[in-house]
Amino acid sequence: MRLEKCWFCSSTVYPGHGIQFVRNDAKIFHFCRSKCHKNFKMKRNPRKVKWTKAYRRLHGKDMTQDSTFEFERKRNRPERYDRNLAENTLKAIKKIDKIRSDRASDHIKNRLKTGKVQRQKEARKQLELGIHLVKAPLALAQDSSLCLLKIKVNVSQAQTEENQPMEE
Amino acid sequence: MVQYNFKKITVVPNGKDFIDIILSRTQRQTPTVVHKGYAISRLRQFYMRKVKYTQQNFHEKLSTIIDEFPRLDDIHPFYGDLLHVLYNKDHYKLALGQINTARNLISKIAKDYVKLLKYGDSLYRCKSLKVAALGRMCTVIKRIGPSLAYLEQIRQHMARLPSIDPNTRTMLICGYPNVGKSSFMNKITRADVDVQPYAFTTKSLFVGHTDYKYLRYQVIDTPGILDRPFEDRNIIEMCSITALAHLRAAVLFFLDISGSCGYSIAQQAALFHSIKSLFMNKPLIIVCNKTDLQPLDGISEEDRKLVMEMKAEAMKTVIGQGGEPTNEEGVLLTMSTLTEDGVIAVKNAACERLLNQRVELKMKSKKINDCLNRFHVALPKARDQKERPACIPQAVLEAKAKQAAEKEKRKTEKELEDENGGAGVYSASLRKNYILANDEWKEDTMPEILDGHNVYDFIDPDILLRLEELEREEGLRQAEEEGDDFEMDGQELSLEEQEALAEIRKKKSLLIQQHRMKKSTAESRPVVPRKFDTDRKFTTRRMGRQLSSLGLDPSLAISRARSKSRGRKRERSVDKREGDGRDAMDIDDNQASKKLRLRSTSRSRSLSRPPGEVIPGEGLKDSAQKIKAIKLAKKSVLKRNKNARRGEADRVIPTLKPKHLFSGKRSIGKTQRR
């Protein structure tokens, strides 16, 4: 029993899910769900379809090269069973997973950092330019802090009387 | 070499049937439709095809006939002679020759007519040519009709011939008619030959099979032979003569001692002597039958002498074959088929004699030496009388013994299964014989999948080392990360600034929205100019609110605005007058100003206006017009009946396939479309 990777979106296909397609040249395609299968039949290139892992990796959205990927490789030679080795492997898998996901999220964070900086700059500029809409320059000159006056609107009696019938 | 089974020859149709078959096949298998409007080459092709097709079929069928009938020269001379005796070689060959010529003739006809068809210029001409060709071919076949009939008869007869293998062990039974040959045949084989009191009951050869010493013998029963010169013999006798002549068999010459066949012993002996030339090189046994009626000892002296002569002749054959000359027993035998006395003895004797002869012959022939060479077992000549048995080392013997013991001692899995409750209850532990570093691990189950990974992909003997390395790397990397993070914090906005920014953005979006609304309305319809403040946006209260939200003090602005508002004209005049001096018409002016003051104060308190009152800047003529305008406006705002739709584009079909539209038969007409 093996977990396969969906050919289109690269998510894992668990046993009992999805479809396997064998082409005439004996190449096997696994699909995790009918969405991927239908996209494949439409001959769409996963590298151009935004939500797939292939696209994300190609366009640098996700982490591509890392030493944690070296741990998971399909080995074709069976190893003789060793309980200690099995134990260690199971523990290692968890740790490797954690490290890998940390690194991936860091990668994304770094990627988004430049955008953040830019946005902050823009915000600062906007504040500078548009402060006259919120606080009159005269008032600003007198009191250079940016605290704004909160206006309290007094709702008169007549209006409340009018409102009630409408609510009913 | 045909297996002497002439049953596989295909049926020869007679002339008429032959023609019918071929012509109908041509009719069916070639295209039939042709019009005179077709291209000439197409017409020619059409008819040429028909002619050729017919010729081919005739050729095929005639060739099969010629090939399947046996060539008398190529088959075993026994069969050749037999067929000659039965059917006359010459007639047979003639018939086949005629078929051959017919075949050639048909081919020639077809060739000629195809050549002519190539130059046919109209449909009619081509068609006539084709008709002529086929007609001629059919005439040819009609002419050979008698030959075909003859061949068919031969075929039917040949199919019923007994399948005699001329090369195997055979026993031939011959003698006068009615001596008991067929009865003997019935006794020793399973053949069911007719046995009747009249002569020539058996009219042709019959074959039966019998066994002796695990070998199969053919026994051939012949029709009776009369003592006549060779030329006078009829076909039936000739059959047996042929068999005698060609088959290498043991001959059993039957003698009826009692004479109940209607012929005396003298006649039978005469026959014997006349055909003894045929007994060359064949083991001959003289069988005296019907001893229940007349025992051999009881016959007369002359008869006895005749019998002895025959026996002497038979002995000669024995000597000729290298058998022991002193053995007289296998030569003259007595039996009775009625009482079955001596029948088996005769059979055995005959079989034995035949076998010996055949073996002798084989030994003498060259071929046997090849076989014999392979059979030679070389034994060293004994040097002295000492016994020297085979030498097997002790270790090997012990190992063999041990293996045998082990095989018996070891428990098989099947036994284990049976002990523990049978097939359904016990399932064998397949891991029992695993070779692992530690035997406790044999029954371990290892998970194959963990957290969305295949565990087998991660297994690596030095995974721990690599993991350590990785963790070290990770530690370094995280330290670096923390260093980087500190750079970023200086740039952020404070809480106040963020709030201000939010306000700015909200205001801006409001302005944009308003502008958009204004823009669209201004383009599509005329608007009331700004100075006529229908929405009452330009009030001092509002201005005061906005200014105070900006952080300015509005009171000065409000008072200024109020002083410059509607009552402006009158107030100016009041000021002017006050400035000139108060001499003339004070009372009136005071009254006027009093009124003004009153009115202005009364005006400054807001009163709601009646609905139809026209305000000067609106652009309406009078109250009636305004009322009409208001009515129109209200009507236009009435919500239209949307029929439960969201808009015009909402085209929801509640049921895509309503049953009443898609089912049911029509009372009249077809339901081809719905």
Side-chain angles (χ1 to χ4, degrees):
Chain A
M1 206 165 36
R2 258 192 83 85
L3 301 175
E4 302 290 347
K5 289 256 170 269
C6 173
W7 185 84
F8 197 80
C9 65
S10 315
S11 61
T12 49
V13 188
Y14 276 83
H17 289 262
I19 288 180
Q20 282 186 10
F21 167 62
V22 182
R23 212 164 49 177
N24 277 353
D25 60 358
K27 182 156 162 55
I28 304 179
F29 298 87
H30 304 273
F31 302 107
C32 59
R33 57 201 194 284
S34 63
K35 176 176 178 180
C36 303
H37 189 45
K38 285 180 182 159
N39 271 308
F40 174 79
K41 285 196 277 188
M42 279 197 272
K43 295 187 168 179
R44 286 199 183 149
N45 189 353
R47 285 159 190 253
K48 292 193 174 175
V49 178
K50 289 260 171 64
W51 50 273
T52 55
K53 207 78 178 151
Y55 176 94
R56 305 210 79 215
R57 290 223 179 94
L58 185 70
H59 289 75
K61 313 274 183 199
D62 276 349
M63 185 168 70
T64 9
Q65 282 171 328
D66 197 37
S67 54
T68 45
F69 294 140
E70 303 297 311
F71 283 86
E72 180 168 11
R73 191 187 301 133
K74 182 170 181 188
R75 291 151 232 269
N76 287 320
R77 219 155 22 105
E79 296 265 342
R80 206 175 278 279
Y81 177 71
D82 188 341
R83 190 188 276 180
N84 304 323
L85 181 62
E87 248 185 79
N88 295 336
T89 311
L90 292 172
K91 291 191 194 144
I93 289 176
K94 289 209 149 73
K95 293 190 191 148
I96 293 165
D97 240 358
K98 185 166 174 319
I99 292 173
R100 187 177 48 81
S101 52
D102 282 342
R103 287 190 188 179
S105 55
D106 280 342
H107 173 94
I108 293 175
K109 214 166 33 165
N110 284 335
R111 186 163 62 87
L112 298 176
K113 227 187 256 190
T114 47
K116 193 168 170 191
V117 168
Q118 212 172 24
R119 273 199 299 274
Q120 280 173 353
K121 269 206 323 227
E122 263 180 40
R124 198 164 282 285
K125 188 144 187 225
Q126 206 178 28
L127 185 65
E128 224 182 276
L129 291 175
I131 194 67
H132 65 279
L133 290 172
V134 168
K135 190 156 188 172
L138 211 61
L140 200 59
Q142 291 167 358
D143 163 27
S144 63
S145 81
L146 278 174
C147 60
L148 305 168
L149 295 173
K150 296 284 176 201
I151 302 168
K152 286 209 174 132
V153 180
N154 293 327
V155 181
S156 59
Q157 277 290 336
Q159 282 191 344
T160 51
E161 278 173 21
E162 278 174 41
N163 281 334
Q164 277 166 12
M166 280 205 283
E167 277 169 25
E168 277 174 4
Chain B
M1 180 172 110
V2 183
Q3 271 303 322
Y4 299 115
N5 185 2
F6 298 119
K7 302 189 208 300
K8 294 247 179 76
I9 306 177
T10 41
V11 180
V12 180
N14 70 5
K16 228 153 72 83
D17 283 343
F18 204 164
I19 295 171
D20 280 339
I21 290 170
I22 300 287
L23 286 182
S24 69
R25 190 186 284 183
T26 312
Q27 168 78 3
R28 274 183 294 121
Q29 303 282 0
T30 51
T32 49
V33 181
V34 74
H35 298 300
K36 69 173 192 289
Y38 287 175
I40 189 65
S41 55
R42 191 169 162 186
L43 292 171
R44 285 182 194 145
Q45 205 186 42
F46 176 83
Y47 285 113
M48 276 201 280
R49 187 167 169 182
K50 286 206 186 272
V51 170
K52 263 250 132 233
Y53 191 81
T54 314
Q55 180 260 327
Q56 272 169 1
N57 277 335
F58 272 127
H59 192 276
E60 223 182 273
K61 280 209 170 293
L62 294 172
S63 304
T64 44
I65 293 172
I66 294 169
D67 291 334
E68 284 191 356
F69 273 91
R71 288 212 199 143
L72 295 181
D73 305 323
D74 289 345
I75 53 180
H76 194 273
F78 163 64
Y79 272 104
D81 256 356
L82 189 65
L83 292 178
H84 171 55
V85 159
L86 291 169
Y87 315 127
N88 197 355
K89 197 157 56 172
D90 300 327
H91 279 170
Y92 181 80
K93 279 192 176 170
L94 253 170
L96 285 178
Q98 274 201 340
I99 305 275
N100 198 23
T101 39
R103 188 174 64 169
N104 293 339
L105 279 174
I106 288 179
S107 299
K108 257 213 242 149
I109 293 171
K111 217 165 33 173
D112 291 336
Y113 274 91
V114 163
K115 264 200 223 144
L116 285 175
L117 266 167
K118 277 206 277 205
Y119 301 104
D121 46 7
S122 74
L123 175 84
Y124 179 70
R125 209 181 290 268
C126 293
K127 185 169 180 181
S128 330
L129 284 170
K130 164 228 166 200
V131 167
L134 293 196
R136 278 177 69 172
M137 289 191 227
C138 294
T139 330
V140 168
I141 298 290
K142 253 198 286 193
R143 278 212 307 265
I144 63 165
S147 301
L148 290 170
Y150 173 68
L151 283 173
E152 173 61 18
Q153 285 199 343
I154 288 185
R155 184 197 72 87
Q156 282 179 358
H157 196 272
M158 274 209 289
R160 288 194 212 108
L161 285 179
S163 51
I164 299 173
D165 187 356
N167 297 323
T168 184
R169 304 158 284 273
T170 324
M171 291 203 298
L172 212 51
I173 310 174
C174 58
Y176 253 88
N178 256 359
V179 294
K181 305 186 288 295
S182 302
S183 331
F184 178 66
M185 177 80 159
N186 283 341
K187 283 283 178 289
I188 54 171
T189 70
R190 280 201 61 185
D192 213 1
V193 192
D194 240 2
V195 177
Q196 297 286 349
Y198 62 85
F200 290 103
T201 319
T202 313
K203 293 197 239 329
S204 64
L205 301 171
F206 284 96
V207 187
H209 294 85
T210 184
D211 296 317
Y212 178 72
K213 280 191 181 170
Y214 311 111
L215 291 170
R216 191 139 260 226
Y217 287 77
Q218 263 179 153
V219 185
I220 299 181
D221 182 22
T222 63
I225 313 170
L226 295 171
D227 190 14
R228 284 203 287 214
F230 190 76
E231 301 75 28
D232 293 345
R233 295 201 187 278
N234 61 22
I235 296 179
I236 301 173
E237 294 171 320
M238 282 308 294
C239 281
S240 26
I241 302 288
T242 319
L244 273 173
H246 291 285
L247 292 175
R248 229 166 28 110
V251 180
L252 282 89
F253 188 83
F254 268 55
L255 207 54
D256 182 359
I257 304 180
S258 66
S260 59
C261 61
Y263 305 97
S264 67
I265 296 185
Q267 285 169 310
Q268 293 180 42
L271 171 66
F272 177 81
H273 290 296
S274 64
I275 62 172
K276 68 184 174 199
S277 56
L278 291 170
F279 299 151
M280 283 286 131
N281 296 330
K282 295 187 176 74
L284 176 63
I285 298 180
I286 306 191
V287 181
C288 305
N289 200 9
K290 303 192 188 175
T291 47
D292 52 313
L293 295 171
Q294 168 87 320
L296 182 62
D297 307 319
I299 52 175
S300 63
E301 216 21 72
E302 310 97 50
D303 292 337
R304 202 194 201 101
K305 209 170 66 177
L306 288 165
V307 172
M308 286 306 132
E309 271 177 39
M310 284 201 283
K311 182 172 162 184
E313 281 292 333
M315 292 294 291
K316 278 194 212 156
T317 59
V318 173
I319 297 166
Q321 282 151 30
E324 294 150 17
T326 51
N327 186 7
E328 286 187 352
E329 289 167 8
V331 183
L332 179 70
L333 295 163
T334 59
M335 70 166 197
S336 166
T337 47
L338 198 62
T339 57
E340 296 191 32
D341 174 33
V343 171
I344 307 291
V346 168
K347 173 190 139 190
N348 288 347
C351 292
E352 191 68 42
R353 281 279 296 282
L354 182 62
L355 194 61
N356 290 339
Q357 191 226 19
R358 282 176 78 97
V359 166
E360 277 281 333
L361 226 60
K362 280 219 172 100
M363 297 288 277
K364 286 190 201 151
S365 77
K366 284 191 187 165
K367 274 205 237 168
I368 199 71
N369 288 333
D370 303 333
C371 300
L372 276 180
N373 284 340
R374 289 184 230 152
F375 293 144
H376 184 61
V377 176
L379 288 168
K381 215 156 63 159
R383 198 167 38 151
D384 50 19
Q385 300 301 320
K386 201 159 144 192
E387 272 270 324
R388 292 185 175 88
C391 170
I392 304 172
Q394 191 63 21
V396 170
L397 283 172
E398 281 175 12
K400 270 198 183 166
K402 204 165 73 166
Q403 217 183 41
E406 215 183 70
K407 241 191 187 167
E408 290 170 14
K409 266 198 282 177
R410 197 179 76 167
K411 215 181 208 185
T412 58
E413 286 289 335
K414 185 94 176 99
E415 286 172 20
L416 202 59
E417 187 187 72
D418 289 335
E419 272 176 30
N420 291 335
V425 179
Y426 170 82
S427 68
S429 158
L430 299 164
R431 308 184 186 214
K432 212 164 52 164
N433 296 325
Y434 276 9
I435 306 166
L436 296 174
N438 185 345
D439 280 340
E440 291 169 20
W441 301 341
K442 277 188 191 170
E443 298 296 324
D444 265 2
T445 48
M446 194 172 108
E448 296 174 34
I449 295 173
L450 180 69
D451 287 347
H453 299 286
N454 292 308
V455 175
Y456 291 133
D457 290 346
F458 280 85
I459 288 185
D460 192 2
D462 30 83
I463 194 169
L464 282 177
L465 291 163
R466 293 169 67 194
L467 185 65
E468 258 179 73
E469 244 184 73
L470 182 70
E471 293 193 320
R472 238 183 300 133
E473 253 181 59
E474 186 66 14
L476 288 169
R477 194 185 68 88
Q478 288 202 339
E480 273 176 37
E481 280 280 314
E482 283 175 35
D484 285 339
D485 275 342
F486 289 129
E487 293 172 17
M488 273 291 301
D489 293 338
Q491 298 278 330
E492 284 194 18
L493 296 173
S494 68
L495 196 63
E496 274 185 354
E497 291 178 331
Q498 280 178 8
E499 283 178 8
L501 190 60
E503 274 293 320
I504 291 171
R505 285 182 177 157
K506 203 158 64 167
K507 272 243 162 89
K508 249 196 167 161
S509 72
L510 267 170
L511 283 172
I512 291 167
Q513 271 180 27
Q514 279 177 2
H515 172 73
R516 281 186 186 149
M517 278 199 306
K518 205 161 50 157
K519 192 170 75 163
S520 65
T521 51
E523 279 173 7
S524 51
R525 49 188 173 86
V527 272
V528 175
R530 202 182 124 112
K531 60 181 177 176
F532 303 111
D533 180 21
T534 39
D535 294 336
R536 308 223 197 139
K537 281 196 289 186
F538 304 111
T539 57
T540 44
R541 194 176 294 169
R542 196 148 172 268
M543 186 178 74
R545 265 209 301 262
Q546 286 185 342
L547 283 176
S548 53
S549 73
L550 281 178
L552 296 168
D553 182 21
S555 45
L556 261 167
I558 290 174
S559 59
R560 187 157 171 275
R562 285 208 180 125
S563 71
K564 288 200 168 178
S565 68
R566 234 180 289 130
R568 191 177 28 181
K569 263 189 194 165
R570 308 279 159 53
E571 276 199 33
R572 212 187 283 150
S573 62
V574 168
D575 284 346
K576 244 190 190 172
R577 293 191 92 251
E578 281 187 3
D580 285 351
R582 320 249 172 111
D583 349 41
M585 292 200 225
D586 261 342
I587 309 160
D588 290 325
D589 291 349
N590 281 338
Q591 279 182 349
S593 62
K594 198 178 178 185
K595 260 195 203 166
L596 262 176
R597 264 184 259 129
L598 274 173
R599 276 186 97 187
S600 64
T601 49
S602 72
R603 278 259 174 87
S604 62
R605 217 181 295 148
S606 59
L607 272 175
S608 64
R609 299 181 191 181
E613 190 184 330
V614 180
I615 301 166
E618 266 182 347
L620 294 161
K621 191 166 64 174
D622 55 10
S623 173
Q625 202 186 50
K626 182 160 183 182
I627 289 169
K628 191 162 179 202
I630 289 171
K631 252 202 203 153
L632 279 175
K634 281 197 181 157
K635 258 200 193 165
S636 74
V637 170
L638 267 180
K639 282 201 176 153
R640 42 197 309 270
N641 183 11
K642 291 200 256 184
N643 295 332
R645 293 180 300 164
R646 275 179 268 125
E648 282 173 1
D650 183 5
R651 285 172 239 122
V652 169
I653 304 168
T655 40
L656 284 168
K657 279 188 137 190
K659 191 166 176 188
H660 68 283
L661 296 176
F662 282 87
S663 69
K665 297 189 181 185
R666 295 200 204 278
S667 55
I668 176 172
K670 293 193 274 192
T671 317
Q672 272 184 342
R673 45 183 180 272
R674 288 195 179 269

